[in-house]
Amino acid sequence: MGKLTPADLDNMNKNSSGNAKDWIKVGMSSCGIAAGADEVFNFFVEEVSKRNLQIEIKRCGCAGMCYAEPLVEVSVEGLPSVTYGAVTKEVATKILEKHVISKMLVNDYIFDIDLDSQG
Amino acid sequence: MYAKVVLVKDTDLKREDRTREFYTRLLDCLRETNLHSQIQVVRVADIGIYDRGLVIKILPDKVTYANVQDTDIKRIVEALSEEKVVEELVFKPKAKQYRLVLRNCGKIDPENIDEYISNGGYLSLKKAVTELGQQKLIDEIKASGIRGRGGAGYPTWMKWNFAREVASDQKFVICNADEGDPGAYMDRSVLEGDPHSVIEGLAIAAFATGASKGYFYVRAEYPLAVERIEKAISQAYDYGLLGKDILGSSFSLDIEIRLGAGAFVCGEETALISSIEGKRGTPHPRPPYPSVKGLWGKPTVINNVETLANIPVIVSRGGKWFAQIGTQTSKGTKVFAVTGKVKNSGLVEIAMGASLRDIVIDICGGTLSGKPIKAVQTGGPSGGVIPERLLDTPVDYENLQKLGSIMGSGGMIVIDDEDCMVDIPKFYLGFCVEESCGKCAPCRIGGFQMLNYLKKISEGKGKPEDLGQLRRIAQAMQKASLCGLGQTASNPVLSTLKYFEEEYNEHILNKRCPAGKCSSLVTYSIISEKCKRCGLCFNNCPVKAISGDKEQGYSIAQDKCVKCGQCFEVCKFKAIDKK
């Protein structure tokens, strides 16, 4: 895309809403990567293509809960979006099999910190 | 598919975790009422609430119950089936986190400008350039009351206004990302998680002041942050959000990255300017302030990363809206990097005016060991310690200063009773002595002398009159040092002397370190009544200071002991005495 005009910016902002596709976000800042987020990210990408799942794997920064890295947020239609902490390959497998495929939240790994912005 | 989700977690610290037990009970109760196919019960690792007994959260209703007893389960299930709420069990958190600076961190892909734009990104730049104009923009920033987040708390609008009022053929804006306080990494997280917000803030600052050239001054120790800013800058150029005639206006801005080589003093603005100019990073006396005469003698605005990340929010939501958050003198939010002996280390963004207790206990869950907090250190090497009894103080620039500490850039280190109040200032002062540029005598010599006194005290060679001497040098440094580094380097010593003088006296008079941290003052010995003669200490001693055998028992030769504490760590029977 070339140089934007003010109207382009408004359009790009408006057109983004209503994007309800399923996704998994992996926190990939220094703290996440140090805790092994790279490996988890690659694992998700491989497994999703192997199992032919319709879910997008995305990267994001650190949400602030550095003690629980690697953090993985999962949003699947019909379930509240939740964040799993201290995710390993084993936990990632559970997330795919239970959360993404069977549509049930996984026990024992959710870090539910309310970080909604206010105002 | 389940209609509702119930999250459960036992947050009681004093008993064994009963999460599983409650989970089963709740499931049984749901089965009895035939709700188990509509409601999923989930055990969670962390529910964001601490020491409030059993906590239950219901989604998507967002109802939270705390201190739930076994006897409450039935009525909670009943309420669930009738779509009602058990009012008397509802928990309303006192301390809530905000997400202004960290609004996109953990939400968007930092390497994708489209995601930033679809979350409202660059609309504030558009608003500034096409609607507000310079004067109204600065008025908004003034109304917001935002003050510099780098530590000193200077009103941002004043810096901008000074620079704007000076007539000059060239002006500069600089983003100060030379974050150097031990334990502080807020800026790194923002740069790694949402680099475009800082670029947008810097572009708005450039527009407000009439600058056409901007710099990111980033530490070379932040390679990922540098990589992401680089990418973000090039994406912004591609979209015409940087470069010539931005968004079709006459405003142009070029931004470059400059890497700092890791000198702490280069976070000080005049030293930072020298460093960008290619000179040795040493500070200069102010005035003239950089806003008037800065980089290459031209008006220059230097803002911290967090300040700049706030700017797009202020422009889009208005200065008045922003000024509702916070206290009388300190507006908005502050991001703290909470580390040390804390359960949940990480970033916390709270409204100014929240208490230290809200941050370290309610949000971060207290200490990792469950031991009481002794103090909290804020402001890094320029700050001080705040004892436990003052943790209810609302956090803002003025209050922390009154207590002998500073807001600083946002490092917050939790200290428990295993930390020594002579050792901590010794660490910080050692840091400042190493990082002192050596240009002015009070900082170069004063810091060195103070450190010598602290070393003497921690080795048990201190004298009572040393404390007076420490205070005297500290005052001289505060008054006579050239820049902020030297002026504030003595704060950790002064504040520990203020609140924990008895600990200094223990070291000096009784030759004892109450925390057991100062190795010269600690002796290890074996309590023969408790010793089971397992030989673990004998095998683990790295200097063979432990002699004996399984028949006769063991003893420690004090002249050989290096006080590493290995024997104390490995003993399973608490038979090693540490004094």
Side-chain angles (χ1 to χ4, degrees):
Chain A
M1 196 186 255
K3 311 263 183 234
L4 301 183
T5 63
D8 292 337
L9 261 185
D10 287 333
N11 285 335
M12 286 171 76
N13 184 243
K14 269 177 214 142
N15 292 340
S16 64
S17 53
N19 197 349
K21 247 180 76 191
D22 295 349
W23 48 256
I24 293 176
K25 279 181 198 167
V26 183
M28 303 274 276
S29 282
S30 293
C31 45
I33 292 170
D38 255 334
E39 208 181 335
V40 171
F41 180 83
N42 293 337
F43 179 78
F44 273 125
V45 172
E46 276 167 35
E47 285 296 305
V48 161
S49 83
K50 225 188 269 172
R51 296 171 193 239
N52 208 6
L53 299 173
Q54 293 306 309
I55 188 161
E56 197 185 343
I57 311 296
K58 302 173 165 194
R59 296 158 200 269
C60 65
C62 169
M65 292 135 69
C66 306
Y67 62 99
E69 294 281 0
L71 288 167
V72 172
E73 192 182 353
V74 185
S75 172
V76 172
E77 213 195 330
L79 287 178
S81 94
V82 291
T83 302
Y84 293 99
V87 176
T88 56
K89 280 188 191 175
E90 288 71 38
V91 181
T93 310
K94 282 186 191 169
I95 292 174
L96 287 178
E97 287 173 355
K98 220 179 156 199
H99 191 135
V100 178
I101 299 172
S102 311
K103 307 241 173 195
M104 282 172 81
L105 303 186
V106 182
N107 272 321
D108 301 325
Y109 299 101
I110 293 175
F111 281 72
D112 186 71
I113 314 288
D114 205 359
L115 293 178
D116 284 346
S117 66
Q118 298 185 336
Chain B
M1 183 92 67
Y2 296 102
K4 275 192 204 316
V5 175
V6 178
L7 308 179
V8 292
K9 170 78 183 163
D10 184 8
T11 65
D12 198 312
L13 300 170
K14 284 162 217 88
R15 65 176 177 221
E16 208 149 293
D17 194 334
R18 292 182 65 196
T19 309
R20 273 177 187 270
E21 192 191 324
F22 278 115
Y23 168 81
T24 323
R25 275 169 192 259
L26 198 56
L27 265 186
D28 288 345
C29 200
L30 285 171
R31 242 181 236 120
E32 278 164 30
T33 40
N34 243 337
L35 283 168
H36 62 287
S37 57
Q38 292 150 48
I39 297 172
Q40 191 198 353
V41 185
V42 185
R43 299 186 302 267
V44 301
D46 192 332
I47 205 156
I49 295 165
Y50 307 97
D51 211 12
R52 294 269 194 272
L54 179 75
V55 179
I56 290 180
K57 258 189 207 175
I58 299 159
L59 301 175
D61 311 15
K62 287 200 161 187
V63 174
T64 307
Y65 299 128
N67 290 316
V68 176
Q69 305 300 318
D70 295 5
T71 46
D72 296 323
I73 293 181
K74 216 172 157 209
R75 39 181 194 148
I76 290 175
V77 171
E78 274 169 17
L80 269 170
S81 68
E82 293 163 14
E83 295 280 334
K84 283 182 184 156
V85 175
V86 189
E87 290 296 342
E88 64 261 41
L89 293 176
V90 170
F91 176 75
K92 293 214 173 59
K94 195 160 63 86
K96 254 200 95 151
Q97 292 208 53
Y98 275 73
R99 293 275 131 165
L100 299 186
V101 173
L102 302 174
R103 60 195 176 278
N104 291 323
C105 289
K107 282 200 173 148
I108 65 166
D109 181 348
E111 301 189 6
N112 184 341
I113 188 171
D114 291 336
E115 285 199 23
Y116 180 66
I117 293 175
S118 60
N119 280 281
Y122 289 108
L123 288 181
S124 298
L125 177 63
K126 188 202 91 172
K127 185 176 174 185
V129 174
T130 62
E131 283 173 44
L132 293 177
Q134 286 181 324
Q135 186 59 53
K136 272 195 186 158
L137 172 59
I138 291 183
D139 289 346
E140 277 307 324
I141 303 299
K142 185 178 177 183
S144 78
I146 187 171
R147 297 164 63 178
R149 298 293 193 248
Y154 194 77
T156 304
W157 78 273
M158 285 174 77
K159 274 192 182 178
W160 291 16
N161 207 38
F162 284 136
R164 187 173 85 98
E165 282 172 349
V166 181
S168 173
D169 55 337
Q170 171 90 66
K171 295 178 190 176
F172 296 101
V173 284
I174 298 173
C175 170
N176 183 351
D178 192 56
E179 184 175 50
D181 287 3
Y185 57 97
M186 306 71 50
D187 295 351
R188 189 191 73 200
S189 272
V190 174
L191 292 171
E192 288 180 355
D194 192 15
H196 283 288
S197 69
V198 187
I199 294 175
E200 186 178 3
L202 191 63
I204 294 170
F207 173 74
T209 52
S212 58
K213 176 98 195 168
Y215 291 94
F216 266 92
Y217 190 83
V218 198
R219 305 168 52 134
E221 289 97 324
Y222 284 178
L224 188 63
V226 172
E227 187 190 316
R228 289 193 176 155
I229 305 165
E230 255 168 16
K231 267 190 197 158
I233 291 176
S234 99
Q235 289 168 350
Y237 268 108
D238 289 345
Y239 274 180
L241 297 165
L242 290 176
K244 283 229 164 325
D245 304 332
I246 292 166
L247 291 166
S249 72
S250 60
F251 167 56
S252 302
L253 173 67
D254 285 309
I255 293 185
E256 256 180 63
I257 299 178
R258 287 292 156 99
L259 297 185
F264 181 62
V265 75
C266 286
E268 198 279 337
E269 55 184 18
T270 59
L272 189 154
I273 286 172
S274 294
S275 173
I276 292 184
E277 287 173 345
K279 296 177 192 149
R280 194 181 153 153
T282 49
H284 300 279
R286 299 176 303 184
Y289 285 91
S291 303
V292 179
K293 210 173 163 207
L295 190 59
W296 290 298
K298 307 289 184 188
T300 305
V301 165
I302 302 183
N303 285 138
N304 161 271
V305 169
E306 195 184 330
T307 315
L308 291 172
N310 267 302
I311 299 296
V313 182
I314 295 171
V315 173
S316 75
R317 309 200 67 162
K320 259 194 194 150
W321 175 84
F322 188 85
Q324 292 169 4
I325 308 166
T327 65
Q328 196 64 34
T329 55
S330 310
K331 302 296 187 191
T333 63
K334 178 78 194 85
V335 183
F336 289 99
V338 189
T339 55
K341 301 283 176 64
V342 71
K343 184 162 183 279
N344 300 340
S345 59
L347 299 185
V348 172
E349 181 172 1
I350 43 99
M352 297 269 193
S355 73
L356 287 163
R357 199 180 296 277
D358 292 344
I359 301 170
V360 297
I361 309 249
D362 289 356
I363 295 175
C364 293
T367 56
L368 190 59
S369 57
K371 285 185 182 172
I373 290 174
K374 183 164 160 186
V376 173
Q377 207 278 349
T378 69
S382 313
V385 296
I386 294 162
E388 198 276 338
R389 67 190 151 88
L390 296 173
L391 287 190
D392 289 313
T393 314
V395 173
D396 69 10
Y397 293 99
E398 278 69 25
N399 277 333
L400 291 186
Q401 205 150 22
K402 260 183 244 158
L403 296 180
S405 186
I406 59 163
M407 175 86 84
S409 61
M412 196 174 268
I413 296 171
V414 177
I415 295 166
D416 71 6
D417 61 3
E418 283 179 17
D419 294 310
C420 165
M421 288 307 189
V422 177
D423 190 59
I424 283 177
K426 199 175 89 186
F427 165 77
Y428 282 114
L429 195 66
F431 179 87
C432 285
V433 167
E434 224 163 72
E435 294 292 345
S436 168
C437 75
K439 184 169 175 172
C440 71
C443 175
R444 183 181 67 238
I445 301 169
F448 180 77
Q449 292 302 338
M450 281 181 78
L451 187 60
N452 277 347
Y453 278 112
L454 289 184
K455 280 183 183 158
K456 239 175 82 185
I457 293 170
S458 70
E459 284 164 7
K461 296 173 191 155
K463 296 191 187 100
E465 58 268 28
D466 291 350
L467 298 186
Q469 197 62 8
L470 275 172
R471 287 197 174 95
R472 218 165 308 147
I473 305 173
Q475 272 160 15
M477 284 178 75
Q478 282 179 334
K479 284 197 183 126
S481 292
L482 183 58
C483 80
L485 195 154
Q487 285 159 12
T488 59
S490 57
N491 281 353
V493 181
L494 286 177
S495 72
T496 43
L497 269 175
K498 182 170 169 187
Y499 298 116
F500 296 96
E501 191 172 343
E502 76 279 12
E503 239 182 276
Y504 280 87
N505 284 330
E506 272 296 302
H507 284 76
I508 294 169
L509 303 174
N510 300 333
K511 313 289 175 209
R512 209 177 75 85
C513 174
K517 198 92 187 173
C518 297
S519 55
S520 312
L521 299 181
V522 176
T523 42
Y524 292 94
S525 55
I526 294 171
I527 310 165
S528 54
E529 300 87 64
K530 284 189 184 172
C531 179
K532 304 273 187 239
R533 300 178 183 180
C534 69
L536 213 53
C537 56
F538 175 79
N539 290 332
N540 277 284
C541 179
V543 291
K544 300 204 173 358
I546 298 179
S547 58
D549 55 39
K550 291 191 180 186
E551 304 286 299
Q552 308 202 335
Y554 296 93
S555 64
I556 302 175
Q558 296 302 334
D559 54 330
K560 284 189 189 164
C561 176
V562 291
K563 292 159 189 184
C564 66
Q566 277 285 324
C567 51
F568 185 80
E569 297 287 325
V570 297
C571 182
K572 293 192 173 95
F573 309 105
K574 296 196 169 137
I576 307 279
D577 190 31
K578 179 176 171 185
K579 253 192 228 147

